[in-house]
Amino acid sequence: MEKEFYLFLQNKALKPRTCQSYINAIKNKISNYLQNEKILAHNHTLFHINDPALLFAIQHGFELSESFRESNIIGHNMYSCALGHYIQFIHSYTKDNPSSIIKEQTALIVRTEGGRRVVVSTLIERNPALRNAAIAIHGTTCLGCGFNFGETYGTYGEGYIEIHHVYPLGKETRYVKTSVATDLIPLCSNCHCMVHHKKDYVLTLNELQMILKSPQSRSSVTYTTGISLSGELLQ
C-alpha cells in the first residue's frame, strides 16, 4: 500500500521530497502514536489499515488529542496533512477496488463493537485533557452504581475512575465534536465492563441504572436505545 500511496501523491504533482515526508510521517510518528495508545499492533503501521471509516475514526481521535495537536503544530501540520492525503488515497483506492477492504483489521489491537467506534472511543477516553475535564464536571463517583474508589480504598484509590465515551456513531463517516458534559461519563470498572459486555451492543447509562435497580427491572430492560454492532444509535 505504501508504493501505491507514493504514486498517488506523485499524481497530485507533489515533489518527491514531500511525498517521502508524508510516507515517513505515517510510518513513524502517526503509527508510533497509535502503537503507544495500544490501538495498533507494534509490528504494523497505518499502511496496514485500508478501511476508510476506520481511518476517519483515527483522524477524529487525533483532532481531540492535545498532545498530537501540539506535535502537529511543531511539525508544521505535516502529520495531519499526511493522514488527510492517505485517507483521500484509501477512499479513492477502495472505491475502485471495493473487494480490497480488509474486513478484519488484524493490525488493530482493539477489534470489538465495530472497530471504528472503539478506535475513536479509546483515543478519546485516554485523552488526559478530556478525561480531566469530564472528572471536573461529573466527579469520580460511578454514575451507574454510585461506587467511589476513594471511599472504598482510601487515599490509594482517591481520584481514580474510568471514563466511558458515549459515542452515537452512525453510518456516516463524518464526526461531531465530543461534548465533555454529555458524551463522557465516569463509570467504575465493573459498570464499564458491563456496558461493553455484549460485543454487538453497548448499554446506555439509563439501561445500566435500570439493571442495577432490582431483579424486576433487569428483566424489563428492552435494550433498544443503545449502540448496535453497526454503530447505529438505536431509537
Side-chain angles (χ1 to χ4, degrees):
M1 198 61 70
E2 181 180 331
K3 293 180 179 179
E4 291 86 345
F5 180 50
Y6 187 88
L7 292 176
F8 172 81
L9 294 175
Q10 279 190 324
N11 290 335
K12 297 187 73 167
L14 295 177
K15 296 179 180 179
R17 182 178 178 180
T18 301
C19 295
Q20 192 59 52
S21 294
Y22 285 158
I23 287 177
N24 291 340
I26 290 176
K27 289 175 63 177
N28 299 314
K29 180 65 179 182
I30 295 175
S31 295
N32 288 341
Y33 181 89
L34 291 172
Q35 290 169 3
N36 291 335
E37 289 295 322
K38 302 287 190 285
I39 296 293
L40 194 65
H42 278 279
N43 59 336
H44 290 78
T45 70
L46 196 67
F47 286 121
H48 288 90
I49 298 177
N50 71 346
D51 184 341
L54 201 49
L55 290 169
F56 272 113
I58 290 172
Q59 183 183 48
H60 180 66
F62 283 163
E63 291 172 353
L64 296 171
S65 170
E66 185 176 358
S67 62
F68 191 86
R69 289 202 309 271
E70 290 177 354
S71 297
N72 191 48
I73 292 173
I74 295 174
H76 303 288
N77 296 319
M78 170 64 71
Y79 310 126
S80 59
C81 287
L83 181 57
H85 281 299
Y86 185 61
I87 291 175
Q88 289 177 16
F89 159 68
I90 288 297
H91 183 74
S92 174
Y93 184 83
T94 54
K95 186 177 181 180
D96 297 332
N97 306 276
S99 61
S100 68
I101 298 180
I102 304 173
K103 296 302 181 182
E104 179 68 12
Q105 296 287 346
T106 56
L108 294 176
I109 293 176
V110 183
R111 293 191 295 273
T112 58
E113 300 159 23
R116 54 177 172 160
R117 199 199 73 81
V118 171
V119 168
V120 71
S121 292
T122 302
L123 286 169
I124 290 173
E125 288 174 11
R126 292 177 181 171
N127 184 316
L130 292 177
R131 173 183 169 79
N132 292 338
I135 290 176
I137 293 174
H138 301 294
T140 56
T141 297
C142 176
L143 294 187
C145 66
F147 181 84
N148 185 287
F149 283 91
E151 293 177 359
T152 302
Y153 297 99
T155 55
Y156 189 78
E158 189 174 344
Y160 179 79
I161 193 67
E162 294 185 13
I163 297 298
H164 171 59
H165 185 213
V166 184
Y167 198 74
L169 175 61
K171 293 181 180 179
E172 296 294 327
T173 53
R174 292 176 294 177
Y175 299 90
V176 296
K177 184 177 180 180
T178 295
S179 169
V180 175
T182 59
D183 297 340
L184 297 174
I185 60 174
L187 293 177
C188 69
S189 305
N190 282 348
C191 286
H192 202 184
C193 284
M194 283 297 100
V195 297
H196 293 288
H197 176 53
K198 301 292 185 181
K199 70 176 184 178
D200 58 348
Y201 191 85
V202 181
L203 288 175
T204 64
L205 177 60
N206 183 58
E207 288 171 342
L208 175 65
Q209 291 171 336
M210 286 180 65
I211 290 173
L212 291 168
K213 281 182 179 179
S214 66
Q216 290 76 18
S217 63
R218 291 172 197 169
S219 60
S220 66
V221 178
T222 55
Y223 311 116
T224 57
T225 60
I227 302 173
S228 68
L229 175 61
S230 65
E232 295 180 83
L233 184 65
L234 303 176
Q235 301 296 329

